[in-house]
Amino acid sequence: MNVEFINPFLESLNNVLGTMASLELKAGKPRLKKDEKAQGDVSGLIGMVGPQTKGSLSITFEGTLALEIMQRMLGERPTEINEEVTDMVGEITNMVTGGAKNILGDKGYDFDMATPVVVSGMGHTISHKSDGPKILIPFGSEYGNANIEICFDK
Amino acid sequence: MNVEFINPFLESLNNVLGTMASLELKAGKPRLKKDEKAQGDVSGLIGMVGPQTKGSLSITFEGTLALEIMQRMLGERPTEINEEVTDMVGEITNMVTGGAKNILGDKGYDFDMATPVVVSGMGHTISHKSDGPKILIPFGSEYGNANIEICFDK
C-alpha cells in the first residue's frame, strides 16, 4: 500500500476534527501493524468495497479524547462512553472515510462504504482480517491518543 | 426488515458451526434491538454493500464459547483470546456472511462483503450505526452465548 492511499485518511481525520471540534491531533509516522496491539476505549469501524479491492478501516479513541471531542462538538461532556458518544464516533468514522473516499476517487481508486459500527469497552483491541498489509497511523493530543488502522486486500 | 433477510444468517451460523465444530447453538427469537446492549468478549464484524442497500453484521461470542469452538475446530484450547482465536472468529464471520449472501443472492438480494474485523476485549458492546432497524438473534449453548446482529440501511 502506498502513501497515496494513506494520506487521504490522515488528512481527512484532521479536517473533520478541525472543522467540527476545533481540535488538531498530532499525527505520528504511519507504520505497518504487525504483532502490535493498539488499545482504546471506543472505536468506529467501517467496511469498504470497490471494484479493485475491499477492506476495512477503524478509528480508535482513548475515552478521555472521545469525551473531549464530544464536549467541543456538542457542548456537553458525558461522564462515560454513552450512546451519544458512540453516535458521534460513528459519525466521525463516516465523515473521515467519506472524505478519504472523495480524494481517492479523484485519483481513480473507487470504493463504496458500508455503514459504521461502533465498539465500546475499556482497553479493547482491533484486528483487521484482510490479506493485505495493515497500516497504523497513531495520533496524539494532550487529551489522549487515537489510531487509524486501514487495511485493504491485495 | 423481513424474516426472509434474517433466516439466512441464522441458518448459516448453524451450518458453519455444525460443519466445522460439530456444535449446534440454540437460536432464540430474533428481535429488534433497541436500548439493549449485547455484551461479549470477542466479536467479528463485516460491512456489506449492495446496489439496493448497505449494512453491517456482527457476531459476538462469550469467551468460553469461542474457546470451545476453537478446541472443536482446531483441537487446541488457548487459555485466552489470542490471535488464533481472533483469526477463527474472522473466518467464521466471513463464512456465515458468505453463506447468507449466497442464499440471499438466489432471492435477488445482492451485496458484496468487505473484509472482516475482529474486536477482543472483555464485556465490550457493539452499536450498529445504520439508519435501518437493528435485528438481534440470540444463540445459547452450555458453553456460553453468542449473538448475531444485522443492520441494513432502509
Side-chain angles (χ1 to χ4, degrees):
Chain A
M1 189 183 296
N2 61 36
V3 70
E4 222 183 356
F5 238 85
I6 298 165
N7 280 342
F9 291 95
L10 192 160
E11 285 168 27
S12 188
L13 179 63
N14 269 331
N15 282 345
V16 168
L17 293 184
T19 310
M20 309 289 288
S22 306
L23 184 66
E24 191 182 355
L25 304 182
K26 191 170 157 45
K29 199 173 156 48
R31 54 183 186 258
L32 282 173
K33 187 184 181 190
K34 290 179 179 160
D35 295 337
E36 187 183 7
K37 287 191 180 175
Q39 289 198 338
D41 306 320
V42 56
S43 297
L45 299 95
I46 199 160
M48 298 173 287
V49 178
Q52 301 110 334
T53 187
K54 55 189 178 163
S56 52
L57 168 137
S58 61
I59 308 179
T60 296
F61 296 94
E62 285 185 342
T64 48
L65 177 55
L67 294 176
E68 177 68 23
I69 297 170
M70 184 76 187
Q71 178 156 40
R72 286 165 173 249
M73 275 179 69
L74 297 170
E76 50 183 296
R77 190 186 191 92
T79 52
E80 50 166 17
I81 308 296
N82 62 14
E83 193 181 344
E84 287 172 303
V85 178
T86 65
D87 278 352
M88 178 198 73
V89 169
E91 218 25 73
I92 290 173
T93 306
N94 228 353
M95 286 189 287
V96 168
T97 313
K101 170 181 158 63
N102 288 341
I103 299 170
L104 287 166
D106 290 342
K107 299 182 183 205
Y109 300 109
D110 281 312
F111 60 85
D112 285 318
M113 294 153 54
T115 49
V117 180
V118 178
V119 176
S120 59
M122 296 299 284
H124 65 257
T125 60
I126 305 275
S127 314
H128 293 259
K129 300 296 184 187
S130 156
D131 295 337
K134 291 145 193 76
I135 308 292
L136 170 70
I137 315 172
F139 292 87
S141 80
E142 61 187 291
Y143 308 105
N145 298 320
N147 287 286
I148 290 184
E149 293 178 37
I150 314 162
C151 189
F152 283 100
D153 260 2
K154 284 174 274 183
Chain B
M1 189 184 298
N2 60 36
V3 69
E4 222 184 358
F5 238 87
I6 298 165
N7 280 342
F9 291 95
L10 193 160
E11 284 168 28
S12 189
L13 179 63
N14 270 331
N15 282 345
V16 168
L17 293 184
T19 310
M20 309 289 287
S22 305
L23 184 66
E24 191 183 353
L25 303 183
K26 190 169 158 46
K29 197 171 156 50
R31 54 182 185 260
L32 282 174
K33 188 186 180 190
K34 291 181 180 161
D35 294 337
E36 186 182 13
K37 289 191 177 175
Q39 289 199 338
D41 306 320
V42 57
S43 298
L45 298 96
I46 199 161
M48 298 173 287
V49 178
Q52 302 110 332
T53 187
K54 54 189 180 164
S56 53
L57 168 137
S58 60
I59 309 179
T60 297
F61 296 94
E62 285 185 342
T64 48
L65 176 57
L67 295 174
E68 177 68 22
I69 297 170
M70 185 77 188
Q71 179 156 40
R72 286 165 174 250
M73 274 178 71
L74 298 168
E76 49 183 294
R77 190 184 191 93
T79 53
E80 49 165 17
I81 308 296
N82 63 13
E83 194 182 344
E84 287 172 302
V85 178
T86 64
D87 278 352
M88 178 198 74
V89 170
E91 218 26 75
I92 290 173
T93 306
N94 227 354
M95 286 189 287
V96 169
T97 313
K101 171 181 157 63
N102 288 342
I103 300 170
L104 286 167
D106 290 343
K107 300 183 183 203
Y109 301 108
D110 280 314
F111 61 85
D112 285 318
M113 293 154 52
T115 49
V117 181
V118 179
V119 176
S120 59
M122 298 298 285
H124 65 256
T125 59
I126 306 273
S127 315
H128 293 259
K129 300 296 183 187
S130 156
D131 296 334
K134 292 144 192 78
I135 307 293
L136 170 70
I137 314 172
F139 291 87
S141 80
E142 63 188 288
Y143 307 105
N145 298 321
N147 286 287
I148 290 184
E149 293 178 37
I150 314 162
C151 188
F152 283 99
D153 259 359
K154 286 172 275 185

PDB file of all heavy atoms in Angstrom, chain A residues 107-140:
ATOM      1  N   LYS A 107      -8.437  10.204  -7.683  1.00  0.00           N
ATOM      2  CA  LYS A 107      -7.202   9.569  -8.168  1.00  0.00           C
ATOM      3  C   LYS A 107      -7.474   8.246  -8.877  1.00  0.00           C
ATOM      4  O   LYS A 107      -6.545   7.511  -9.222  1.00  0.00           O
ATOM      5  CB  LYS A 107      -6.248   9.311  -6.993  1.00  0.00           C
ATOM      6  CG  LYS A 107      -5.829  10.582  -6.292  1.00  0.00           C
ATOM      7  CD  LYS A 107      -4.849  10.308  -5.159  1.00  0.00           C
ATOM      8  CE  LYS A 107      -4.522  11.610  -4.442  1.00  0.00           C
ATOM      9  NZ  LYS A 107      -3.258  11.631  -3.769  1.00  0.00           N
ATOM     10  N   GLY A 108      -8.742   7.892  -8.994  1.00  0.00           N
ATOM     11  CA  GLY A 108      -9.079   6.670  -9.721  1.00  0.00           C
ATOM     12  C   GLY A 108      -9.263   5.439  -8.854  1.00  0.00           C
ATOM     13  O   GLY A 108      -9.423   4.337  -9.362  1.00  0.00           O
ATOM     14  N   TYR A 109      -9.201   5.631  -7.517  1.00  0.00           N
ATOM     15  CA  TYR A 109      -9.469   4.489  -6.619  1.00  0.00           C
ATOM     16  C   TYR A 109     -10.883   4.633  -6.079  1.00  0.00           C
ATOM     17  O   TYR A 109     -11.139   5.468  -5.206  1.00  0.00           O
ATOM     18  CB  TYR A 109      -8.506   4.480  -5.430  1.00  0.00           C
ATOM     19  CG  TYR A 109      -7.058   4.389  -5.791  1.00  0.00           C
ATOM     20  CD1 TYR A 109      -6.211   5.481  -5.632  1.00  0.00           C
ATOM     21  CD2 TYR A 109      -6.512   3.205  -6.273  1.00  0.00           C
ATOM     22  CE1 TYR A 109      -4.869   5.408  -5.954  1.00  0.00           C
ATOM     23  CE2 TYR A 109      -5.168   3.119  -6.598  1.00  0.00           C
ATOM     24  CZ  TYR A 109      -4.349   4.225  -6.436  1.00  0.00           C
ATOM     25  OH  TYR A 109      -3.021   4.149  -6.750  1.00  0.00           O
ATOM     26  N   ASP A 110     -11.786   3.855  -6.610  1.00  0.00           N
ATOM     27  CA  ASP A 110     -13.170   3.962  -6.157  1.00  0.00           C
ATOM     28  C   ASP A 110     -13.523   2.869  -5.160  1.00  0.00           C
ATOM     29  O   ASP A 110     -13.100   1.728  -5.303  1.00  0.00           O
ATOM     30  CB  ASP A 110     -14.126   3.850  -7.356  1.00  0.00           C
ATOM     31  CG  ASP A 110     -14.201   5.167  -8.107  1.00  0.00           C
ATOM     32  OD1 ASP A 110     -14.369   6.199  -7.443  1.00  0.00           O
ATOM     33  OD2 ASP A 110     -14.055   5.143  -9.348  1.00  0.00           O
ATOM     34  N   PHE A 111     -14.286   3.238  -4.159  1.00  0.00           N
ATOM     35  CA  PHE A 111     -14.877   2.211  -3.300  1.00  0.00           C
ATOM     36  C   PHE A 111     -16.186   2.736  -2.715  1.00  0.00           C
ATOM     37  O   PHE A 111     -16.402   3.944  -2.643  1.00  0.00           O
ATOM     38  CB  PHE A 111     -13.913   1.771  -2.189  1.00  0.00           C
ATOM     39  CG  PHE A 111     -13.481   2.861  -1.240  1.00  0.00           C
ATOM     40  CD1 PHE A 111     -14.259   3.206  -0.147  1.00  0.00           C
ATOM     41  CD2 PHE A 111     -12.270   3.528  -1.431  1.00  0.00           C
ATOM     42  CE1 PHE A 111     -13.847   4.200   0.729  1.00  0.00           C
ATOM     43  CE2 PHE A 111     -11.858   4.535  -0.558  1.00  0.00           C
ATOM     44  CZ  PHE A 111     -12.651   4.871   0.532  1.00  0.00           C
ATOM     45  N   ASP A 112     -17.057   1.814  -2.348  1.00  0.00           N
ATOM     46  CA  ASP A 112     -18.272   2.162  -1.629  1.00  0.00           C
ATOM     47  C   ASP A 112     -18.073   1.837  -0.158  1.00  0.00           C
ATOM     48  O   ASP A 112     -17.305   0.942   0.195  1.00  0.00           O
ATOM     49  CB  ASP A 112     -19.469   1.369  -2.176  1.00  0.00           C
ATOM     50  CG  ASP A 112     -19.926   1.921  -3.516  1.00  0.00           C
ATOM     51  OD1 ASP A 112     -19.980   3.154  -3.660  1.00  0.00           O
ATOM     52  OD2 ASP A 112     -20.208   1.107  -4.417  1.00  0.00           O
ATOM     53  N   MET A 113     -18.778   2.584   0.679  1.00  0.00           N
ATOM     54  CA  MET A 113     -18.669   2.376   2.111  1.00  0.00           C
ATOM     55  C   MET A 113     -19.892   1.631   2.639  1.00  0.00           C
ATOM     56  O   MET A 113     -21.020   1.921   2.243  1.00  0.00           O
ATOM     57  CB  MET A 113     -18.614   3.736   2.823  1.00  0.00           C
ATOM     58  CG  MET A 113     -17.375   4.552   2.528  1.00  0.00           C
ATOM     59  SD  MET A 113     -17.692   6.344   2.701  1.00  0.00           S
ATOM     60  CE  MET A 113     -18.375   6.425   4.359  1.00  0.00           C
ATOM     61  N   ALA A 114     -19.654   0.704   3.560  1.00  0.00           N
ATOM     62  CA  ALA A 114     -20.757   0.093   4.306  1.00  0.00           C
ATOM     63  C   ALA A 114     -21.189   1.102   5.387  1.00  0.00           C
ATOM     64  O   ALA A 114     -20.752   2.256   5.362  1.00  0.00           O
ATOM     65  CB  ALA A 114     -20.311  -1.233   4.918  1.00  0.00           C
ATOM     66  N   THR A 115     -22.023   0.685   6.303  1.00  0.00           N
ATOM     67  CA  THR A 115     -22.423   1.583   7.398  1.00  0.00           C
ATOM     68  C   THR A 115     -21.499   1.345   8.593  1.00  0.00           C
ATOM     69  O   THR A 115     -21.002   0.231   8.794  1.00  0.00           O
ATOM     70  CB  THR A 115     -23.890   1.316   7.790  1.00  0.00           C
ATOM     71  OG1 THR A 115     -24.082  -0.083   7.960  1.00  0.00           O
ATOM     72  CG2 THR A 115     -24.825   1.793   6.691  1.00  0.00           C
ATOM     73  N   PRO A 116     -21.249   2.382   9.394  1.00  0.00           N
ATOM     74  CA  PRO A 116     -20.299   2.212  10.500  1.00  0.00           C
ATOM     75  C   PRO A 116     -20.853   1.405  11.674  1.00  0.00           C
ATOM     76  O   PRO A 116     -22.062   1.333  11.883  1.00  0.00           O
ATOM     77  CB  PRO A 116     -20.010   3.654  10.940  1.00  0.00           C
ATOM     78  CG  PRO A 116     -21.125   4.480  10.437  1.00  0.00           C
ATOM     79  CD  PRO A 116     -21.716   3.772   9.259  1.00  0.00           C
ATOM     80  N   VAL A 117     -19.942   0.821  12.406  1.00  0.00           N
ATOM     81  CA  VAL A 117     -20.256   0.086  13.629  1.00  0.00           C
ATOM     82  C   VAL A 117     -19.337   0.654  14.706  1.00  0.00           C
ATOM     83  O   VAL A 117     -18.166   0.919  14.428  1.00  0.00           O
ATOM     84  CB  VAL A 117     -19.971  -1.423  13.468  1.00  0.00           C
ATOM     85  CG1 VAL A 117     -20.307  -2.180  14.742  1.00  0.00           C
ATOM     86  CG2 VAL A 117     -20.729  -1.998  12.289  1.00  0.00           C
ATOM     87  N   VAL A 118     -19.857   0.850  15.910  1.00  0.00           N
ATOM     88  CA  VAL A 118     -19.026   1.397  16.973  1.00  0.00           C
ATOM     89  C   VAL A 118     -18.920   0.393  18.107  1.00  0.00           C
ATOM     90  O   VAL A 118     -19.915  -0.206  18.518  1.00  0.00           O
ATOM     91  CB  VAL A 118     -19.581   2.749  17.479  1.00  0.00           C
ATOM     92  CG1 VAL A 118     -18.739   3.287  18.633  1.00  0.00           C
ATOM     93  CG2 VAL A 118     -19.619   3.761  16.335  1.00  0.00           C
ATOM     94  N   VAL A 119     -17.696   0.198  18.580  1.00  0.00           N
ATOM     95  CA  VAL A 119     -17.421  -0.729  19.676  1.00  0.00           C
ATOM     96  C   VAL A 119     -17.044   0.086  20.891  1.00  0.00           C
ATOM     97  O   VAL A 119     -16.206   0.991  20.787  1.00  0.00           O
ATOM     98  CB  VAL A 119     -16.226  -1.634  19.320  1.00  0.00           C
ATOM     99  CG1 VAL A 119     -15.875  -2.533  20.495  1.00  0.00           C
ATOM    100  CG2 VAL A 119     -16.528  -2.445  18.075  1.00  0.00           C
ATOM    101  N   SER A 120     -17.648  -0.201  22.037  1.00  0.00           N
ATOM    102  CA  SER A 120     -17.151   0.426  23.254  1.00  0.00           C
ATOM    103  C   SER A 120     -16.819  -0.627  24.285  1.00  0.00           C
ATOM    104  O   SER A 120     -17.502  -1.659  24.389  1.00  0.00           O
ATOM    105  CB  SER A 120     -18.134   1.461  23.800  1.00  0.00           C
ATOM    106  OG  SER A 120     -19.368   0.868  24.076  1.00  0.00           O
ATOM    107  N   GLY A 121     -15.767  -0.386  25.018  1.00  0.00           N
ATOM    108  CA  GLY A 121     -15.287  -1.336  26.017  1.00  0.00           C
ATOM    109  C   GLY A 121     -13.860  -0.943  26.357  1.00  0.00           C
ATOM    110  O   GLY A 121     -13.056  -0.730  25.446  1.00  0.00           O
ATOM    111  N   MET A 122     -13.569  -0.804  27.633  1.00  0.00           N
ATOM    112  CA  MET A 122     -12.254  -0.331  28.060  1.00  0.00           C
ATOM    113  C   MET A 122     -11.153  -1.260  27.553  1.00  0.00           C
ATOM    114  O   MET A 122     -11.195  -2.464  27.765  1.00  0.00           O
ATOM    115  CB  MET A 122     -12.177  -0.261  29.587  1.00  0.00           C
ATOM    116  CG  MET A 122     -13.138   0.745  30.222  1.00  0.00           C
ATOM    117  SD  MET A 122     -12.832   2.447  29.666  1.00  0.00           S
ATOM    118  CE  MET A 122     -11.348   2.818  30.642  1.00  0.00           C
ATOM    119  N   GLY A 123     -10.173  -0.683  26.895  1.00  0.00           N
ATOM    120  CA  GLY A 123      -8.979  -1.423  26.506  1.00  0.00           C
ATOM    121  C   GLY A 123      -9.212  -2.539  25.508  1.00  0.00           C
ATOM    122  O   GLY A 123      -8.506  -3.548  25.534  1.00  0.00           O
ATOM    123  N   HIS A 124     -10.168  -2.382  24.606  1.00  0.00           N
ATOM    124  CA  HIS A 124     -10.353  -3.416  23.590  1.00  0.00           C
ATOM    125  C   HIS A 124      -9.293  -3.273  22.491  1.00  0.00           C
ATOM    126  O   HIS A 124      -8.666  -2.231  22.348  1.00  0.00           O
ATOM    127  CB  HIS A 124     -11.773  -3.372  23.000  1.00  0.00           C
ATOM    128  CG  HIS A 124     -12.089  -2.133  22.230  1.00  0.00           C
ATOM    129  ND1 HIS A 124     -12.856  -1.112  22.740  1.00  0.00           N
ATOM    130  CD2 HIS A 124     -11.726  -1.735  20.996  1.00  0.00           C
ATOM    131  CE1 HIS A 124     -12.951  -0.150  21.841  1.00  0.00           C
ATOM    132  NE2 HIS A 124     -12.269  -0.498  20.772  1.00  0.00           N
ATOM    133  N   THR A 125      -9.100  -4.353  21.753  1.00  0.00           N
ATOM    134  CA  THR A 125      -8.164  -4.320  20.625  1.00  0.00           C
ATOM    135  C   THR A 125      -8.896  -4.738  19.351  1.00  0.00           C
ATOM    136  O   THR A 125      -9.890  -5.458  19.411  1.00  0.00           O
ATOM    137  CB  THR A 125      -6.959  -5.261  20.841  1.00  0.00           C
ATOM    138  OG1 THR A 125      -7.438  -6.585  20.986  1.00  0.00           O
ATOM    139  CG2 THR A 125      -6.168  -4.885  22.073  1.00  0.00           C
ATOM    140  N   ILE A 126      -8.368  -4.261  18.223  1.00  0.00           N
ATOM    141  CA  ILE A 126      -8.996  -4.464  16.920  1.00  0.00           C
ATOM    142  C   ILE A 126      -8.022  -5.246  16.034  1.00  0.00           C
ATOM    143  O   ILE A 126      -6.843  -4.899  15.977  1.00  0.00           O
ATOM    144  CB  ILE A 126      -9.227  -3.086  16.243  1.00  0.00           C
ATOM    145  CG1 ILE A 126     -10.023  -2.148  17.147  1.00  0.00           C
ATOM    146  CG2 ILE A 126      -9.838  -3.233  14.861  1.00  0.00           C
ATOM    147  CD1 ILE A 126     -11.488  -2.281  17.071  1.00  0.00           C
ATOM    148  N   SER A 127      -8.500  -6.276  15.360  1.00  0.00           N
ATOM    149  CA  SER A 127      -7.655  -6.990  14.384  1.00  0.00           C
ATOM    150  C   SER A 127      -8.350  -6.991  13.031  1.00  0.00           C
ATOM    151  O   SER A 127      -9.432  -7.567  12.894  1.00  0.00           O
ATOM    152  CB  SER A 127      -7.445  -8.441  14.792  1.00  0.00           C
ATOM    153  OG  SER A 127      -7.106  -8.560  16.146  1.00  0.00           O
ATOM    154  N   HIS A 128      -7.728  -6.367  12.060  1.00  0.00           N
ATOM    155  CA  HIS A 128      -8.270  -6.368  10.698  1.00  0.00           C
ATOM    156  C   HIS A 128      -7.846  -7.663  10.025  1.00  0.00           C
ATOM    157  O   HIS A 128      -6.659  -7.965   9.953  1.00  0.00           O
ATOM    158  CB  HIS A 128      -7.753  -5.152   9.928  1.00  0.00           C
ATOM    159  CG  HIS A 128      -8.277  -3.861  10.466  1.00  0.00           C
ATOM    160  ND1 HIS A 128      -9.305  -3.176   9.886  1.00  0.00           N
ATOM    161  CD2 HIS A 128      -7.934  -3.150  11.563  1.00  0.00           C
ATOM    162  CE1 HIS A 128      -9.561  -2.089  10.581  1.00  0.00           C
ATOM    163  NE2 HIS A 128      -8.737  -2.047  11.606  1.00  0.00           N
ATOM    164  N   LYS A 129      -8.834  -8.417   9.536  1.00  0.00           N
ATOM    165  CA  LYS A 129      -8.532  -9.741   8.986  1.00  0.00           C
ATOM    166  C   LYS A 129      -8.561  -9.718   7.468  1.00  0.00           C
ATOM    167  O   LYS A 129      -9.278 -10.475   6.827  1.00  0.00           O
ATOM    168  CB  LYS A 129      -9.533 -10.765   9.525  1.00  0.00           C
ATOM    169  CG  LYS A 129      -9.530 -10.903  11.041  1.00  0.00           C
ATOM    170  CD  LYS A 129      -8.208 -11.435  11.563  1.00  0.00           C
ATOM    171  CE  LYS A 129      -8.253 -11.659  13.075  1.00  0.00           C
ATOM    172  NZ  LYS A 129      -6.924 -12.007  13.625  1.00  0.00           N
ATOM    173  N   SER A 130      -7.810  -8.823   6.890  1.00  0.00           N
ATOM    174  CA  SER A 130      -7.682  -8.777   5.445  1.00  0.00           C
ATOM    175  C   SER A 130      -6.351  -9.407   5.070  1.00  0.00           C
ATOM    176  O   SER A 130      -5.466  -9.566   5.906  1.00  0.00           O
ATOM    177  CB  SER A 130      -7.744  -7.315   5.005  1.00  0.00           C
ATOM    178  OG  SER A 130      -7.113  -7.161   3.773  1.00  0.00           O
ATOM    179  N   ASP A 131      -6.221  -9.774   3.791  1.00  0.00           N
ATOM    180  CA  ASP A 131      -4.960 -10.393   3.369  1.00  0.00           C
ATOM    181  C   ASP A 131      -3.837  -9.375   3.213  1.00  0.00           C
ATOM    182  O   ASP A 131      -2.662  -9.728   3.230  1.00  0.00           O
ATOM    183  CB  ASP A 131      -5.147 -11.094   2.010  1.00  0.00           C
ATOM    184  CG  ASP A 131      -6.118 -12.250   2.129  1.00  0.00           C
ATOM    185  OD1 ASP A 131      -6.280 -12.758   3.248  1.00  0.00           O
ATOM    186  OD2 ASP A 131      -6.711 -12.623   1.104  1.00  0.00           O
ATOM    187  N   GLY A 132      -4.193  -8.131   3.016  1.00  0.00           N
ATOM    188  CA  GLY A 132      -3.180  -7.122   2.727  1.00  0.00           C
ATOM    189  C   GLY A 132      -2.494  -6.596   3.976  1.00  0.00           C
ATOM    190  O   GLY A 132      -2.830  -6.983   5.096  1.00  0.00           O
ATOM    191  N   PRO A 133      -1.515  -5.711   3.779  1.00  0.00           N
ATOM    192  CA  PRO A 133      -0.822  -5.114   4.917  1.00  0.00           C
ATOM    193  C   PRO A 133      -1.764  -4.218   5.724  1.00  0.00           C
ATOM    194  O   PRO A 133      -2.688  -3.628   5.177  1.00  0.00           O
ATOM    195  CB  PRO A 133       0.281  -4.281   4.262  1.00  0.00           C
ATOM    196  CG  PRO A 133      -0.136  -4.077   2.855  1.00  0.00           C
ATOM    197  CD  PRO A 133      -1.003  -5.233   2.484  1.00  0.00           C
ATOM    198  N   LYS A 134      -1.521  -4.164   7.016  1.00  0.00           N
ATOM    199  CA  LYS A 134      -2.327  -3.352   7.927  1.00  0.00           C
ATOM    200  C   LYS A 134      -1.521  -2.109   8.288  1.00  0.00           C
ATOM    201  O   LYS A 134      -0.431  -2.215   8.830  1.00  0.00           O
ATOM    202  CB  LYS A 134      -2.661  -4.155   9.182  1.00  0.00           C
ATOM    203  CG  LYS A 134      -3.636  -5.292   8.894  1.00  0.00           C
ATOM    204  CD  LYS A 134      -3.369  -6.530   9.724  1.00  0.00           C
ATOM    205  CE  LYS A 134      -4.124  -7.729   9.201  1.00  0.00           C
ATOM    206  NZ  LYS A 134      -3.563  -8.359   7.973  1.00  0.00           N
ATOM    207  N   ILE A 135      -2.065  -0.958   7.950  1.00  0.00           N
ATOM    208  CA  ILE A 135      -1.373   0.301   8.216  1.00  0.00           C
ATOM    209  C   ILE A 135      -1.960   0.948   9.460  1.00  0.00           C
ATOM    210  O   ILE A 135      -3.186   1.066   9.580  1.00  0.00           O
ATOM    211  CB  ILE A 135      -1.556   1.292   7.047  1.00  0.00           C
ATOM    212  CG1 ILE A 135      -1.172   0.652   5.727  1.00  0.00           C
ATOM    213  CG2 ILE A 135      -0.774   2.573   7.304  1.00  0.00           C
ATOM    214  CD1 ILE A 135       0.279   0.353   5.594  1.00  0.00           C
ATOM    215  N   LEU A 136      -1.074   1.349  10.359  1.00  0.00           N
ATOM    216  CA  LEU A 136      -1.490   2.024  11.590  1.00  0.00           C
ATOM    217  C   LEU A 136      -0.974   3.459  11.555  1.00  0.00           C
ATOM    218  O   LEU A 136       0.217   3.679  11.329  1.00  0.00           O
ATOM    219  CB  LEU A 136      -0.885   1.282  12.788  1.00  0.00           C
ATOM    220  CG  LEU A 136      -0.999   1.936  14.162  1.00  0.00           C
ATOM    221  CD1 LEU A 136      -2.435   1.916  14.661  1.00  0.00           C
ATOM    222  CD2 LEU A 136      -0.103   1.207  15.158  1.00  0.00           C
ATOM    223  N   ILE A 137      -1.859   4.418  11.749  1.00  0.00           N
ATOM    224  CA  ILE A 137      -1.437   5.817  11.888  1.00  0.00           C
ATOM    225  C   ILE A 137      -1.769   6.264  13.308  1.00  0.00           C
ATOM    226  O   ILE A 137      -2.949   6.334  13.677  1.00  0.00           O
ATOM    227  CB  ILE A 137      -2.169   6.757  10.902  1.00  0.00           C
ATOM    228  CG1 ILE A 137      -2.219   6.164   9.488  1.00  0.00           C
ATOM    229  CG2 ILE A 137      -1.503   8.131  10.885  1.00  0.00           C
ATOM    230  CD1 ILE A 137      -3.098   6.963   8.530  1.00  0.00           C
ATOM    231  N   PRO A 138      -0.747   6.533  14.122  1.00  0.00           N
ATOM    232  CA  PRO A 138      -1.011   6.968  15.500  1.00  0.00           C
ATOM    233  C   PRO A 138      -1.235   8.479  15.555  1.00  0.00           C
ATOM    234  O   PRO A 138      -0.614   9.234  14.794  1.00  0.00           O
ATOM    235  CB  PRO A 138       0.278   6.590  16.239  1.00  0.00           C
ATOM    236  CG  PRO A 138       1.350   6.653  15.196  1.00  0.00           C
ATOM    237  CD  PRO A 138       0.700   6.369  13.862  1.00  0.00           C
ATOM    238  N   PHE A 139      -2.112   8.927  16.413  1.00  0.00           N
ATOM    239  CA  PHE A 139      -2.371  10.350  16.632  1.00  0.00           C
ATOM    240  C   PHE A 139      -2.292  10.625  18.127  1.00  0.00           C
ATOM    241  O   PHE A 139      -2.777   9.818  18.929  1.00  0.00           O
ATOM    242  CB  PHE A 139      -3.778  10.731  16.155  1.00  0.00           C
ATOM    243  CG  PHE A 139      -3.970  10.674  14.671  1.00  0.00           C
ATOM    244  CD1 PHE A 139      -4.335   9.495  14.045  1.00  0.00           C
ATOM    245  CD2 PHE A 139      -3.782  11.811  13.885  1.00  0.00           C
ATOM    246  CE1 PHE A 139      -4.510   9.433  12.668  1.00  0.00           C
ATOM    247  CE2 PHE A 139      -3.960  11.755  12.506  1.00  0.00           C
ATOM    248  CZ  PHE A 139      -4.322  10.567  11.892  1.00  0.00           C
ATOM    249  N   GLY A 140      -1.691  11.762  18.462  1.00  0.00           N
ATOM    250  CA  GLY A 140      -1.589  12.119  19.875  1.00  0.00           C
ATOM    251  C   GLY A 140      -2.191  13.482  20.148  1.00  0.00           C
ATOM    252  O   GLY A 140      -2.312  14.316  19.243  1.00  0.00           O
TER     253      GLY A 140
END
